[in-house]
Amino acid sequence: MATDQDQKLGMREHWKALLIVTLVSLSSFQYGLDFGIIGGLQAMIGFLEVFGERADTSIGWNINAERQQLISSLMILGAFISSSTAGFTAKYFGRKVSLWIACIGVFISTAIMQATTAIGGLYAGRLIIGLSNGLLMTHAQLYIQECAPGRYRGFGISIFTYWVSVGSLIGTVIDNFAAKIEDRTAYIIPLGIVHVIPLVLTIGLFFIPESPRWLATSKSVSLENSVKPTIGPVPGSMWRMDDAERALRRLRPAGWSVADEMDEMRTTLAAEARLQSSVGYRTLFQNPIDRRRTILSVLGLTTQAASGAMFVISYGTYFFEMANVGNAFENSCILTGTGVAALLFNALIITKYGRRRVMMLTGFVVCGLSQLIMAVVYTVEPGTEKTGKAIVGLSVVYIVAYNALISTYAWLSGGELASQRLRSHTFGLATAIGFFGAWLTTFTAPYFINPLELGWGPKYGYIWTGSCLIAGIWVWLYLPEVKGRTLEQIDEMFEARVPARKFRKYQCTGHHATLDEKPQVDHVESQSSHDDGSESKHSNAKVSGAEV
């Protein structure tokens, strides 16, 4: 089995796969860079002179809550829309082409934001870059989850989340220097940096294979039935197992049994087809096993939003500026730099110690307490130097806990708990709902922290303390532990209806329980044969099993 090979071969042998995963993970650098830059622009005089207004604040300028909301939330709204279409883009384009489309969108949107002085143009740029970021974040992670060896899947996603914070740090540092310029150049220069990573990705994608697991679940047009080039699965098509095997050979080291891993893929796909052979958003909830996996993926990823991190990430610089807590840009650089260090530390330990349940539960305890203490301190002594230092210190504790203990593991859960057949649809839905939670945070936060509105400032932490408590309880009760498991082994455990708390010690055999069941077929439709000669059928298998 693939997991036995994992134990024999280390990072040195898997250098090709890890290098490719690192390239694709740069998609998240663009996402983090955007957050870092946009968060700082809203405290820049050069930016506020164009899109803000005079106000009685420490810098003499402010931006009204409505514009502040839309600048931050339109990007997330766009990401929500594009993530929710991941099933469609995966079906017709695959991982690589979807990433290319996203890179083109970044080029266009950034050029619009650099050129415009109208607030409508800025809004349009934010929405388009959000659509692009949604594709980058969704399909890059799907690629990593499907291409990395099971033992290093956590490492791959930890590098992905590491680049988010590195991008955010670089964006904040660039803003810190550009803030000294008091004209439009102050924000045009930082936005120009956004073009770099999409250019690197656009070129690099030409030299890497498509995801073998996506190829294994897609179809190509058979020569005898094709009159002209066609995109996507059509009647009379064949499964692309040969293409999947070639892609897998490019990813795996010498000595790796590609045939064994391909056999596991075929067995898993056959077992999943016994449950439901059709693919679509409706099928995510049509049987108890897929329904359980969908709910776990969605809620697992949504715990990121439940932590309140988007409040700190999106409005950190502005929050420090309005709270008059030292130098806002320098504090944000310290905060983001500490988060980068936490993610790097997590990347080094995740392969050996990265238990999903333990890490996330600990993270929510620390994040919740940090927000609570921050709110209490500000309530007792608002605006004092001592309170300012306490807020900065607690913000550092919070971001370390979030980056080291929650962020990576939430993304992991969203992808690895989904079934192989439905992964694009499940992860797309999970990411979309996660982005919706982030959008809700960024959209409502200005009302709480803006001095022209409620002006709560750090007291906003009271709300996120309760949210962290609820998320921690859910992790304890329902999140399965799948550290070190291959995607095929995770499928086997779900099909065996293993309770969440028994996943860690469950012994996989390579046998799927659903293959022993005789599905009750509601509808049968003739299809072409598979590569192995078996007939493909659309069926709805009525099975029973425990829900989440």
Side-chain angles (χ1 to χ4, degrees), residues 315-376:
Y315 296 104
T317 304
Y318 176 85
F319 170 71
F320 287 137
E321 189 71 61
M322 294 302 139
N324 197 25
V325 182
N327 183 295
F329 281 109
E330 290 179 3
N331 287 335
S332 290
C333 288
I334 293 171
L335 188 66
T336 309
T338 307
V340 169
L343 280 167
L344 183 59
F345 174 74
N346 182 60
L348 297 174
I349 68 167
I350 190 170
T351 300
K352 188 173 183 179
Y353 301 107
R355 300 286 180 195
R356 280 59 164 160
R357 288 167 56 86
V358 174
M359 293 294 193
M360 291 183 73
L361 188 59
T362 305
F364 281 113
V365 170
V366 177
C367 285
L369 288 175
S370 299
Q371 294 268 32
L372 177 61
I373 297 171
M374 197 185 305
V376 170

Side-chain angles (χ1 to χ4, degrees), residues 40-151:
L41 294 189
Q42 296 176 62
M44 244 181 226
I45 293 176
F47 179 84
L48 294 174
E49 285 179 343
V50 179
F51 301 107
E53 58 194 9
R54 283 284 184 182
D56 184 19
T57 64
S58 59
I59 58 175
W61 291 88
N62 195 14
I63 185 168
N64 68 56
E66 180 182 351
R67 289 191 174 188
Q68 194 175 37
Q69 283 176 324
L70 290 171
I71 289 170
S72 294
S73 63
L74 277 173
M75 191 281 287
I76 300 175
L77 179 61
F80 166 79
I81 294 170
S82 58
S83 296
S84 64
T85 65
F88 171 84
T89 50
K91 177 180 179 180
Y92 290 101
F93 303 114
R95 312 292 184 231
K96 288 176 59 176
V97 175
S98 295
L99 292 174
W100 268 318
I101 293 171
C103 290
I104 293 171
V106 173
F107 294 139
I108 294 172
S109 61
T110 306
I112 291 173
M113 288 187 286
Q114 287 179 294
T116 189
T117 56
I119 191 65
L122 183 63
Y123 290 159
R126 297 302 295 154
L127 181 62
I128 296 170
I129 203 168
L131 293 168
S132 303
N133 281 338
L135 290 176
L136 286 171
M137 294 294 284
T138 303
H139 288 281
Q141 288 188 82
L142 284 168
Y143 187 95
I144 293 169
Q145 298 260 15
E146 294 170 348
C147 293
R151 183 182 179 188

Side-chain angles (χ1 to χ4, degrees), residues 1-3 6-7 145 148-154 355-356 416 481-493 498 502-509:
M1 296 176 69
T3 188
D6 268 349
Q7 302 305 318
Q145 298 260 15
R151 183 182 179 188
Y152 297 112
R153 189 172 60 251
R355 300 286 180 195
R356 280 59 164 160
E416 66 188 3
E481 180 56 71
V482 293
K483 175 187 175 297
R485 304 283 191 170
T486 66
L487 296 176
E488 287 72 28
Q489 288 176 328
I490 294 171
D491 276 23
E492 178 186 335
M493 289 188 286
V498 178
K502 295 185 178 180
F503 264 64
R504 180 181 173 184
K505 296 183 179 180
Y506 186 83
Q507 297 295 317
C508 290
T509 63

Side-chain angles (χ1 to χ4, degrees), residues 209-496:
E210 180 57 273
S211 161
R213 284 175 172 80
W214 177 79
L215 290 168
T217 56
S218 64
K219 299 178 183 180
S220 61
V221 181
S222 56
L223 293 176
E224 65 272 18
N225 290 327
S226 60
V227 178
K228 59 182 180 179
T230 306
I231 298 176
V234 296
S237 59
M238 303 292 289
W239 299 101
R240 301 175 64 181
M241 286 296 181
D242 289 343
D243 292 338
E245 185 171 345
R246 282 192 290 271
L248 190 62
R249 290 189 184 281
R250 291 180 62 185
L251 290 164
R252 298 295 181 253
W256 183 273
S257 179
V258 172
D260 286 350
E261 190 168 353
M262 289 299 302
D263 286 343
E264 288 184 6
M265 282 191 213
R266 291 188 181 93
T267 302
T268 298
L269 289 171
E272 290 183 358
R274 300 278 291 191
L275 294 174
Q276 184 74 45
S277 61
S278 61
V279 175
Y281 285 104
R282 188 177 64 177
T283 58
L284 299 178
F285 302 95
Q286 282 188 338
N287 67 73
I289 295 175
D290 285 335
R291 185 160 57 245
R292 179 191 183 194
R293 301 183 73 166
T294 299
I295 293 171
L296 286 171
S297 293
V298 169
L299 293 183
L301 199 153
T302 308
T303 56
Q304 284 188 327
S307 70
M310 289 306 300
F311 158 56
V312 179
I313 295 171
S314 297
Y315 296 104
T317 304
Y318 176 85
F319 170 71
F320 287 137
E321 189 71 61
M322 294 302 139
N324 197 25
V325 182
N327 183 295
F329 281 109
E330 290 179 3
N331 287 335
S332 290
C333 288
I334 293 171
L335 188 66
T336 309
T338 307
V340 169
L343 280 167
L344 183 59
F345 174 74
N346 182 60
L348 297 174
I349 68 167
I350 190 170
T351 300
K352 188 173 183 179
Y353 301 107
R355 300 286 180 195
R356 280 59 164 160
R357 288 167 56 86
V358 174
M359 293 294 193
M360 291 183 73
L361 188 59
T362 305
F364 281 113
V365 170
V366 177
C367 285
L369 288 175
S370 299
Q371 294 268 32
L372 177 61
I373 297 171
M374 197 185 305
V376 170
V377 168
Y378 190 80
T379 301
V380 175
E381 292 187 54
T384 66
E385 182 180 350
K386 183 171 66 174
T387 297
K389 291 180 179 179
I391 289 173
V392 173
L394 288 165
S395 296
V396 169
V397 172
Y398 172 88
I399 208 69
V400 167
Y402 172 75
N403 281 349
L405 303 172
I406 297 176
S407 178
T408 298
Y409 301 97
W411 282 120
L412 265 172
S413 298
E416 66 188 3
L417 298 180
S419 73
Q420 188 161 302
R421 184 181 91 266
L422 298 171
R423 182 165 291 111
S424 297
H425 290 76
T426 305
F427 188 68
L429 177 64
T431 306
I433 293 176
F435 276 126
F436 175 78
W439 170 81
L440 193 62
T441 301
T442 57
F443 189 79
T444 57
Y447 282 119
F448 291 95
I449 66 174
N450 195 306
L452 300 180
E453 301 295 336
L454 291 176
W456 281 18
K459 289 188 286 186
Y460 192 34
Y462 285 125
I463 292 176
W464 295 112
T465 298
S467 181
C468 285
L469 175 63
I470 294 170
I473 292 173
W474 179 84
V475 169
W476 172 255
L477 293 176
Y478 298 116
L479 187 70
E481 180 56 71
V482 293
K483 175 187 175 297
R485 304 283 191 170
T486 66
L487 296 176
E488 287 72 28
Q489 288 176 328
I490 294 171
D491 276 23
E492 178 186 335
M493 289 188 286
F494 273 112
E495 289 161 20

